Amino acid sequence: MTESLWTEVDRYIDERVAPPDPVLTAALDAANAAGLPAISVSPSQGKLIAILARSVKASRVLEIGTLAGYSTIWLARALPRRGRVVTLEYDPKHADIARSNFARAGLSDSIEVRVGAALDTLPPLAKEPPFDFVFIDADKVNTPEYFKWALRLTHPGSLIVVDNVVRDGRVADETIDDDNVRGMQRFMDMLANEPRVLATVVQTVGAKGYDGFALALVTA
Ligand code: SAH
Ligand code: DHB
Ligand code: MG
């Protein structure tokens, strides 16, 4: 099993279940042209989070970590009428590119980008109605804090999805000296001891390498 095989199979899968469309292609092209890192979810992963959001009938979606808004577009397309995505982004340049991608996609009315460090933009959301689906995909160091906020901002039946949990398997290396991996390990320990969710982690391989998603269904 090699990374090139995973990538080839991802291409095969994407061609069938998540073929490119003009809006998503333009969003990635704009991200590349602006020199943003190629760390958006893959097409089939975008479709996965869209399916998960639809499965819980999410009409209020929260995303932490917008980048160019590729995952945001998948989530916004999964909304029912009058649904809304709030997406949090630290970098104003990323937020600008994302907003222009949403405008081109005709999704400006259903997506709101809030600029700032997520730890500053999360607390005011407590005054708004709860979210039905949360996608955590920003800096990895603060993932445990983001997960705590996700629990605070959701309700029983909401689904919380966390990206980049496995990171080439480094999550299982207890001796590792890397703040990002340490963040994910702290998050995993939190998940293991959190009685309010039904949670698991799915390892993934593909065009984005070897990684994984945590899925946490809020039960209480
Ligand atoms: N969800 C996107 C990819 C997000 S990449 C997709 O799949 O298409 C991670 C993003 O998180 C980057 O744009 C980065 O600027 C942002 N980020 C990093 N630290 C952050 C913070 N403290 N608060 C909010 N966003 C942050
Ligand atoms: C990185 C961040 C991501 O959200 C991702 O999916 C892949 C890589 C990164 O910061 O390297
Ligand atoms: Mg990610």
Side-chain angles (χ1 to χ4, degrees):
M1 276 281 278
T2 63
E3 183 137 4
S4 70
L5 179 59
W6 306 336
T7 303
E8 193 183 311
V9 174
D10 234 6
R11 190 159 43 238
Y12 174 90
I13 293 169
D14 289 347
E15 268 173 18
R16 283 156 184 79
V17 301
D21 67 57
V23 159
L24 290 169
T25 302
L28 288 181
D29 287 350
N32 289 333
L36 269 49
I39 57 175
S40 309
V41 293
S42 72
S44 56
Q45 290 174 344
K47 192 158 184 190
L48 172 66
I49 58 173
I51 289 169
L52 293 171
R54 279 276 288 270
S55 300
V56 298
K57 299 184 164 56
S59 68
R60 278 184 57 80
V61 169
L62 173 64
E63 176 178 65
I64 310 176
T66 317
L67 192 66
Y70 180 81
S71 53
T72 326
I73 291 170
W74 277 103
L75 290 169
R77 286 173 167 180
L79 294 171
R81 251 176 226 300
R82 285 187 292 280
R84 191 161 194 78
V85 182
V86 175
T87 184
L88 310 181
E89 174 54 50
Y90 176 73
D91 190 324
K93 179 179 143 182
H94 297 182
D96 280 350
I97 291 161
R99 285 192 184 106
S100 90
N101 283 336
F102 303 150
R104 192 192 303 101
L107 291 168
S108 297
D109 289 347
S110 48
I111 302 172
E112 185 186 344
V113 188
R114 299 199 185 173
V115 181
L119 289 178
D120 296 328
T121 53
L122 282 162
L125 291 173
K127 293 191 208 76
E128 298 181 19
F131 292 93
D132 313 301
F133 184 91
V134 182
F135 182 47
I136 300 177
D137 190 22
D139 59 297
K140 308 311 163 189
V141 176
N142 288 313
T143 297
E145 276 59 54
Y146 300 152
F147 183 65
K148 277 189 214 160
W149 273 107
L151 285 173
R152 229 168 277 168
L153 299 174
T154 51
H155 57 81
S158 298
L159 183 64
I160 302 167
V161 177
V162 181
D163 193 21
N164 308 119
V165 173
V166 174
R167 290 316 269 287
D168 288 310
R170 291 197 291 275
V171 72
D173 180 353
E174 308 273 6
T175 67
I176 204 157
D177 183 23
D178 176 314
D179 289 343
N180 297 316
V181 180
R182 284 241 168 272
M184 281 306 177
Q185 291 172 337
R186 278 200 299 130
F187 161 67
M188 284 299 296
D189 291 340
M190 200 178 263
L191 208 54
N193 295 296
E194 178 49 71
R196 291 170 294 175
V197 298
L198 193 59
T200 193
V201 173
V202 182
Q203 299 189 70
T204 58
V205 290
K208 298 289 166 172
Y210 169 33
D211 217 320
F213 291 102
L215 311 178
L217 182 67
V218 180
T219 54

